[in-house]
Structures are given as C-alpha cells and as structure tokens.
Amino acid sequence: MEKFVVKGEVQLRGNVRVSGAKNATLPIMAATLLCSGISVLHDVPYLRDIQAMQDILTLLGAKISRQGRSMLIDTTNVSKAEIPEHLMREMRASVFLMGPLLGRFRKVRVSYPGGCAIGPRPINLHIKALEKIGAKVDESFGYIDAEAAELTGGEINFDFPSVGATENAMMAAVLAKDTTIIRNAAREPEIVDLQTILNKMGAKINGAGTDTIRIDGVKSLVPAEHTIMCDRIEAGTFLLAGVMTRGDIVVENIVPEYLFSVTDKLQEIGAQITPGQNYIRVKAGELRGVDIKTLPYPGFPTDLQAPMLSLVTIAKGTSIITETIFENRFKHVDELTRMGAKIKVEGRTAIIRGVPKLTGAIVAAPDLRAGSALVLAALAAEGTSEIEQVYHIERGYENFDKKLQALGANVVRLR
C-alpha cells in the first residue's frame, strides 16, 4: 500500500498552479449525458474519482478519451439508464447521474449510495426535487426507480442548500416542459460552472450563485466545449500549507473571491495575504488562534475544515472549530494527537490548544480532506512522518506530492 514519507520543518516557497475542480468536473461529466454527441472538457484533473465517473459513463455506453488535460465524451451510443450497485457504492457522486438520465431517457434506476466516511449525505433532497418536476419515484429493495412520461417543471424549495441536490435538479429540469424554480439553492461557484456549460448546450438557466435559480425548459440540447473552473479547495489547501510551514508561496490559476472566507481567517490567524487577478500570495506571520464555523458557501468550506484544524494546532492560544455540515468530520483528530496536538472534541466542536510544534509520527488518512490535513501537519512537524492510505488523498488532489516537492517540501511516495 502506498504512503507518503515527509521530513518536516521545511518552509514552502515558490509558485503552484491549481488544477481544474473535481467538484465541478463530476457533475459536468454527468451533464454531457443530456444530449447525443461529443462534448469537450478542458483542464480535467487526473484523479481517482474522475476515473470512477469515467468508468460509469463508459458502462452506460459513452466513449471517452483523454488528450492531455482535455477529455472528449461521446454520448451518441448511450442507451442505458441504470447504474450498477457496485459502482454506486464506489463513488457517492454517481448520484449526479439521476438528473441527466431522467431528463434524457425519462427513467433512471440506481441503488442507494454507499456509506460515507464523513457522515451521511441524505438522498431525500434529490428525490424530493425530482418529484417536484413530475417524476414518480419508487424506493424498494435498496433501489431508487424514477420515471416520468413528461417532466413538467415546478417549484423546488430545499430545506437545506444541498450542492448535489441543486445540481441534480438543474440537470433534470433543463429538458422539462415548463419552468422550474429552485429556492434555497446552494450558491457554490461549482453550480455557476454547471450553469455555464448547460447554457452552452442550449439550456435556459439563470440565477446560479444566488439562492434562487430559474430553469426554462427546452426541447433538446447539443454538445459543448468548456473549461473546468479552478479547484478552490485545492487552492485553499496550498494557502494553508504555506502558512503552516511559515513559507511564502503564490497559488495561481484561481479566482480570489472564491476564497474570501478562507483568506479572511488566514489574516485573522496572522498571515499576510496579497491577492492578484488570478493568484493569491501568502506569507506567514506569528500564528494565533481563531474561531471557525463551517457553513454553506460563501461561508467557510467544510472541505477545508480539516486542513485548517491542522494549522491551528501550532497557533498560539486556543481555537474553536465547529463543523455544521457533516457529523463525522473530526476523524483526523486522533492522528493529529499522535503528532502532539492538543485537541478535545465535544460533539461537532473541536477545541484546540496550540502547541509550539508537532512531532513526526506514523498516521493514516481516514478520508480525502483529513488526508491532506495530515500531510500539512507532517510538513510542519519536527522529524519524519509517514502518511498511509494515500489513495484517499488521490481522490481529490492531483499530483499532490509532486506539487509540494516543487515548493521545496521533502515528500517521497513509497510503494
């Protein structure tokens, strides 16, 4: 099993380019199923989750090829509207396929997604949205069957601004007969990116990025060419790495406004932040504790809670981090404690008392973002650390070790 061996106490310096966003690529790949023909996506990252989605689309009948950082998806021969159980369990993001398959074929069959290491992600919001626009949904024997002789449009009011449910509803509604209004919609930039490509395909959508989205149904769509937005979570991770190692780095290929909630907290911690048109430079100062609560966008992202927690373990004073999105997102705490961190968890709140330094240890990545948090801790720690189960990290970070090496980190991958 592969692992990272990290020798700590090296200041990161230099420039790093952020890849295309995984969380934008997955629903956009699903959206290509809404029509027949060849769609071209640029700046598609090479990640385990992207490959898993590619395998699912191929099974449904799509032909997919890669040319450098571009992906060509030919959906001409897609005819299946059922996703096998083993693929649904492999990747929860396969739930994105419900909307486009229902929109194109007026039916879809999926099994319930498998468990998730960071807590349950209820599918009920997805089902409710599809029912609101005319689908009949049957749940039995572990499967979800949805069908509609005609999608009629309607009003969808989410109890919680779910990103996945918002995206699924958008994709199902674009081929509905009438208008669909989504209220309390998620506002993440990835939803704006999905709206952009759907409109290129001929959809009529506006409002993405606000809490109300309007979709005027159209009769058909056509393939499109699109460049995937930058990965704001990867960008935030590198900014945190620069601060945690007391370094000086420039994170490129980003939209600074996507990261205001993160850079504001980094300034509060003591970092110097210099934003540019498509970059952010970060320099570390004396670190001090902060209080953070994860919230839907534009609040502090839950996907950066774990790396931020690693950072404040070496900040002076006490920090309090409250996780409001997922209930099991403190699995990295036990591993950080092995490295000398002082952390107490009470329900969804972690209380962190800063220590002068962490020390190297053998730890294991329990999930994607927790894995990146452990790498950051190892970069700052005294001595050598080993991070096992790095396959979790490779689900969402492209060439993480190589990018860190280019900034001066002493990171080696061992098999």
Side-chain angles (χ1 to χ4, degrees), residues 326-392:
F326 296 115
E327 64 184 39
N328 294 329
R329 211 152 201 186
F330 287 129
K331 290 192 171 184
H332 51 302
V333 165
D334 288 344
E335 304 300 298
L336 289 173
T337 300
R338 293 166 63 89
M339 302 177 74
K342 302 296 183 184
I343 308 168
K344 182 179 180 180
V345 176
E346 297 179 353
R348 291 195 174 197
T349 298
I351 303 167
I352 307 100
R353 303 189 187 281
V355 296
K357 65 172 59 179
L358 300 176
T359 54
I362 298 175
V363 295
D367 61 63
L368 166 58
R369 305 304 175 185
S372 69
L374 295 177
V375 173
L376 265 58
L379 291 170
E382 178 182 23
T384 300
S385 299
E386 295 183 12
I387 297 96
E388 300 174 340
Q389 300 178 182
V390 297
Y391 61 86
H392 285 302

Side-chain angles (χ1 to χ4, degrees), residues 24 28 189-198 226-229:
I28 287 175
E190 291 79 8
I191 291 172
V192 178
D193 209 32
L194 178 61
Q195 172 181 276
T196 300
I197 187 172
L198 287 173
H226 181 71
T227 299
I228 302 295
M229 63 168 278

Side-chain angles (χ1 to χ4, degrees), residues 176-236:
K177 181 181 179 181
D178 296 313
T179 297
T180 299
I181 304 293
I182 304 174
R183 303 188 192 282
N184 198 24
R187 299 163 58 189
E188 273 72 1
E190 291 79 8
I191 291 172
V192 178
D193 209 32
L194 178 61
Q195 172 181 276
T196 300
I197 187 172
L198 287 173
N199 284 343
K200 288 180 181 178
M201 295 169 70
K204 296 180 179 179
I205 309 173
N206 62 73
T210 74
D211 61 3
T212 303
I213 299 174
R214 178 189 174 103
I215 305 110
D216 293 317
V218 297
K219 292 183 178 180
S220 63
L221 299 174
V222 297
E225 185 171 356
H226 181 71
T227 299
I228 302 295
M229 63 168 278
C230 61
D231 193 322
R232 61 192 176 93
I233 303 304
E234 181 191 10

Side-chain angles (χ1 to χ4, degrees), residues 302-322:
T302 180
D303 280 350
L304 287 175
Q305 176 261 106
M308 177 61 83
L309 195 153
S310 283
L311 171 59
V312 297
T313 61
I314 57 171
K316 186 177 181 180
T318 299
S319 299
I320 298 175
I321 295 181
T322 303

